[in-house]
Amino acid sequence: ERTEVLRLLNSDSKDLFMGYVKDNLVDVFSEFVEKSGYGSDDIPLSFRVNHLVSSFSEAIVWWARNSMEYEPKVVANYYVKLI
């Protein structure tokens, strides 16, 4: 499974794959922002969601570029600590 993700992230289809990932993350992070109140109310919801989606998707790219050295839960915990 990791090998397939790594292959996709290193292929010509990377942008297509990451676009699909980001589209799915929008729903996840929209729900998170609405339930948790993440960020300031004077910042538009779409901006807050975009910030989380962008930074998380780049965390995935970082993970892949580092040979997926860490378990996914470890990388997710790093991300949560930063937000």
Side-chain angles (χ1 to χ4, degrees):
E1 187 173 299
R2 286 186 184 188
T3 304
E4 186 65 19
V5 171
L6 191 56
R7 186 183 66 74
L8 281 167
L9 289 172
N10 288 316
S11 74
D12 292 337
S13 301
K14 174 189 172 201
D15 291 337
L16 179 64
F17 174 69
M18 288 309 296
Y20 177 76
V21 169
K22 288 178 182 181
D23 287 346
N24 285 283
L25 287 173
V26 167
D27 293 335
V28 172
F29 282 118
S30 292
E31 184 176 336
F32 168 76
V33 169
E34 289 174 357
K35 287 183 177 179
S36 71
Y38 173 80
S40 177
D41 287 340
D42 63 333
I43 300 170
L45 174 66
S46 61
F47 186 88
R48 291 180 277 162
V49 170
N50 182 71
H51 168 72
L52 293 170
V53 168
S54 298
S55 60
F56 191 79
S57 62
E58 285 303 313
I60 294 169
V61 172
W62 171 86
W63 179 57
R65 285 185 181 150
N66 285 279
S67 303
M68 298 180 177
E69 178 181 347
Y70 304 96
E71 291 297 315
K73 287 184 180 182
V74 171
V75 176
N77 283 331
Y78 291 161
Y79 182 78
V80 169
K81 286 180 180 181
L82 290 172
I83 62 167

